[in-house]
Amino acid sequence: MNEGSSPAFALYYESFVNTTEFSSLPLKPALLENIESLGYTRLTPIQAESLPPILEGRDVIAQAKTGSGKTAAFAIGLLSRLDLSSFRVQAMVICPTRELADQVCKEIRRLARFTPNIKVLALCGGVPFGPQAGSLEHGVHIVVGTPGRLQEHLRKRSLRLSHLKTLVLDEADRMLDMGFEEAVSEVISYAPTHRQTLLFSATYADPIREMSEKFQYKPVTVSSETCHHNDVIEQHFYQIEKGQRINALGYLLAYYQPESTVVFCNTKRDCSEIANALENYGFSVQSLHGDLEQKERDQVLVRFANKSCSMLVATDVAARGLDIKDLQAVINYQLPWDPEGYVHRIGRTGRAGKKGLALSLCTQQELTRVKAIEEYQNNPVKWDETAPFQMRQEHRFEPPMVTLWIADGRKDKVRPGDILGALTGDAGIDGNEVGKIDIFDNHAYVAIKRNHVDRALTCLRTGKIKGRSFNIRKPWG
């Protein structure tokens, strides 16, 4: 919980989070009966943290991953505020994908199943527009939708938000990753200023903070991550001779085989040299340092974030603001100068409740830095040994995705849904084969699973996006 809450709220919050039973919630009897009938008795950590301010009607920004119980948390909140006698849209949940929107709809309906006449409607693309408009005309309490289809209904005035009480942004970080920022902003522009806004995200990166500042009023900040312990990140140290670094790095990569890795060096020169060496050995690797132009930096981060490049060699300065979901490993090729830098580096893995791996190489001359890290963490480090290893090209590990470049972007009104539709339309590929979609002003990138990239190229080159043909290339991989 953030600071600045009223004393009465603070007392309520403290008494609430110290209890873990749903029966302690100030809920309508019918809703509580619904919850108990589903076997929900004890609150999950994110529910215990977020439900008190949600039920108070406050704005909330919550760091929570899928599977943490976040959907039930905001669903209980919006259900508790409904006026069932008014068949106007009183709650709206914006989701990044149709699949998530469908899951959210199902969960809300389950929680409301013993409460008569609650109308919940999914508004997503890929299905006819007309029946959705008809359902809205007959009256709906809650809508759950994707940004593009919500935009369409709002523009055509089939969806009206004048009576909206609660707005939920679910998996907000993923919506930003998929390029939906402008669409979400437009959707929210139709909502009343005086409303409750709940923002759920797996990360607290700067773009999420900016989104909160734009759309929320004095939000309470909560996180289920406060319940995790230091063992979320598995840390190993390896003492080596100075000339053994590159082979020791190869051993760690071959032994652990992480799908995504950031290798930290202390200087731009070391960064470029190590990236070039790894590339010569056949690894899929890019370097991130201060000499890169913004366009080059964008390309590097797009490919690393969408898993079409498996390794990033970076300096601390260049990695500022780096927030990559599902980063499996951080390797300190050289230890940083201070322990705070070490903690900051390894904190990029093990996020959103997932296990992380931090591996550090050090020479005899760097042992004083290790001692400082032990004192800073108030815990001894774990020492391991590397086996004899010689870097060779056969140790290459191909990344699971390949990035395709599309010639047009935001200024051409291209949206992620347009690209996804072109790929998954008639005779297209399955949506599960499509990864992250990034839209820039004049071009776009889409990640495709490696074994389906040729078919995806054919779909895009022979088909159309927004009724037009576009130049498509596979610039890497």
Side-chain angles (χ1 to χ4, degrees), residues 433-451:
E433 312 302 328
V434 183
K436 195 167 178 282
I437 299 173
D438 293 277
I439 308 291
F440 291 83
D441 283 346
N442 299 304
H443 61 277
Y445 301 102
V446 56
I448 306 293
K449 286 189 178 178
R450 181 169 293 276
N451 57 341

Side-chain angles (χ1 to χ4, degrees), residues 265 267-279 286-289 291-292 313-315:
C265 299
T267 69
K268 289 185 290 186
R269 180 178 176 179
D270 289 332
C271 181
S272 296
E273 288 180 355
I274 299 309
N276 290 336
L278 289 169
E279 187 174 29
Q286 298 179 102
S287 61
L288 187 68
H289 53 75
D291 289 344
L292 293 180
V313 184
T315 59

Side-chain angles (χ1 to χ4, degrees), residues 287-477:
S287 61
L288 187 68
H289 53 75
D291 289 344
L292 293 180
E293 295 181 359
Q294 188 59 47
K295 181 179 178 181
E296 295 173 307
R297 181 180 171 88
D298 289 341
Q299 290 175 349
V300 167
L301 293 179
V302 161
R303 292 187 58 210
F304 186 68
N306 69 21
K307 297 186 178 180
S308 63
C309 173
S310 55
M311 199 179 315
L312 196 62
V313 184
T315 59
D316 290 305
V317 173
R320 285 177 183 168
L322 180 67
D323 188 63
I324 303 296
K325 295 177 68 174
D326 302 333
L327 177 61
Q328 294 184 2
V330 166
I331 299 179
N332 290 301
Y333 186 80
Q334 299 155 330
L335 286 175
W337 301 107
D338 56 77
E340 292 90 347
Y342 171 81
V343 172
H344 189 64
R345 283 181 180 183
I346 71 170
R348 289 179 168 88
T349 186
R351 293 189 174 184
K354 295 190 176 182
K355 293 282 287 184
L357 184 65
L359 311 172
S360 299
L361 303 175
C362 76
T363 62
Q364 178 74 28
Q365 292 74 24
E366 294 173 303
L367 290 179
T368 55
R369 300 185 203 176
V370 178
K371 182 67 174 176
I373 290 168
E374 289 180 320
E375 292 176 354
Y376 188 82
Q377 296 192 135
N378 195 27
N379 205 29
V381 303
K382 179 180 179 181
W383 290 98
D384 285 326
E385 294 183 1
T386 60
F389 189 87
Q390 185 67 41
M391 288 280 277
R392 293 189 294 269
Q393 284 207 344
E394 58 264 31
H395 294 124
R396 174 177 182 170
F397 304 104
E398 286 191 330
M401 311 296 284
V402 173
T403 297
L404 301 183
W405 176 86
I406 299 170
D408 295 84
R410 190 178 294 115
K411 290 185 177 179
D412 303 282
K413 308 298 184 184
V414 172
R415 301 179 303 178
D418 301 322
I419 297 172
L420 186 62
L423 287 164
T424 60
D426 295 341
I429 65 175
D430 190 277
N432 292 327
E433 312 302 328
V434 183
K436 195 167 178 282
I437 299 173
D438 293 277
I439 308 291
F440 291 83
D441 283 346
N442 299 304
H443 61 277
Y445 301 102
V446 56
I448 306 293
K449 286 189 178 178
R450 181 169 293 276
N451 57 341
H452 291 273
V453 69
D454 291 336
R455 189 174 175 189
L457 272 170
T458 301
C459 289
L460 292 175
R461 285 172 174 168
T462 59
K464 295 182 184 297
I465 301 174
K466 296 186 77 71
R468 307 193 306 275
S469 297
F470 288 114
N471 181 19
I472 315 291
R473 289 193 285 113
K474 185 177 72 170
W476 311 283

